[in-house]
Amino acid sequence: MLRRLLKLFRREQPQIIYRWRTQQSLYLYIFGALDESGKLPADFELPQLYTGPGTKVYFPEGALIPSEKIRELAKQLKHIANTGNEAAAAGFYETVVSLPDVLDVIDLFLEEISNYALPIEPHLFSFAHDMAFCTGHINSSKFGIAILGLCQNRVVSDKLKIMAVYEKLTVYSTIALLNLSANPQDDLFDIAGKLHGWGKIKLVSRLAVICKKDSIKEWLIAEGYKNTVDNSYIACTCAFYGELHKKLEKENIEIAFFNNATDILQAMLTGNPSECIATYRHAVRAVTSYLLHAKTHAKTIQHFLIICHIKFYLEQQLLDCDRNNGWSDNAITNCLTDCAAILNNDFWKSLIKSVLVNPDDVYYNDVKQAAGFLHT
């Protein structure tokens, strides 16, 4: 009789189904948009479905997330890791998708959960996997990827490499792969060629630091610094870890390499202060060697412009009594002499005149700038 009553009671209890996983996941949407080379279209954007506020309890854009909320999230994750409780998992998801931006929150969250000894199996890894790859919101994917980076299970590496191709997920996937991959250098390099903007900047800045292969160092100089935001953001990083100074010290170099060196030095001379020539510890060796090769290879307006920028930079260094970057008066004077020898050539005047007569020329604006240098 008692058994019958228990069975009847159990049948009467409603079964709660927590629907935070979805078949229309962000991962599948990104995967489906890849071309044959594994790249996303240049104009790829996620639909509002995957990025908008996912709950009624929504933190406004720019809102400071209370530290208590971060501690609450960490305790929720601990409960999930220990029990696999679906209600807690759904609550965690709902909170995460209510956040306007999770980059800063994730750093604080990971710092908080470092205080807990969370068991990875049997619940934490599967929960993180589903957050990353089986939900329809970008915040969920970001948190899931971040937690996966702590789980030490390489089975998700290929999925992380796919997510990394979407530049708003690149930094999260990159950090996770650095923790998980058996060969992070090759994995990051494989992703780097599929990126163009901020994602590439963030990935290459990490790839460069762990780079050991000569082929990847050469790529840093040939392609690594190039991006659609501003080459100056990683020019110095690529120059340093790609060993630009050593390559320039070779007796003979190819014109393609000379052109890449031109781009990198130009970016450091005129761009982002945090990656400028002043932060490049091999500036003396690189500039000195570049000018020696410029006597042979400098033939274009871009070459003319960088020599002018180097000249201006050296003149400023000569006036700086407190400089502490390796430049001596003698090194500066020798380089200024090389600049003068290169610039004092009628070839430049004739080249400039030939372009200035055609305002539609692709190099017209550069040439106009070069003409100004000739008259200074």
Side-chain angles (χ1 to χ4, degrees), residues 304-356:
F304 178 86
L305 288 173
I306 191 176
I307 303 301
C308 292
H309 285 128
I310 289 174
K311 178 176 178 289
F312 177 77
Y313 163 71
L314 293 171
E315 289 170 344
Q316 295 300 112
Q317 291 299 304
L318 196 59
L319 297 174
D320 185 1
C321 298
D322 297 323
R323 61 179 180 269
N324 185 26
N325 52 11
W327 283 106
S328 65
D329 286 351
N330 188 54
I332 294 172
T333 302
N334 288 339
C335 285
L336 282 172
T337 300
D338 288 338
C339 287
I342 296 167
L343 295 174
N344 189 24
N345 191 322
D346 290 339
F347 166 78
W348 300 117
K349 292 181 181 180
S350 60
L351 179 62
I352 288 171
K353 288 179 181 178
S354 68
V355 177
L356 284 178

Side-chain angles (χ1 to χ4, degrees), residues 35 84 88 173 180 196 236 265 298:
D35 64 17
S173 301
L180 296 178
H196 307 283
C236 186
L265 289 173

Side-chain angles (χ1 to χ4, degrees), residues 55-74:
T55 68
K56 295 179 181 179
V57 183
Y58 176 62
F59 292 90
E61 188 72 32
L64 182 65
I65 309 303
S67 57
E68 303 85 61
K69 177 59 69 176
I70 294 173
R71 284 194 292 271
E72 180 184 324
L73 274 173

Side-chain angles (χ1 to χ4, degrees), residues 26 29 45-54 58 136-138 166:
L26 184 85
Y29 187 84
E45 289 292 342
L46 290 177
Q48 180 71 12
L49 169 70
Y50 295 106
T51 60
Y58 176 62
H137 199 280
I138 191 167
Y166 180 50

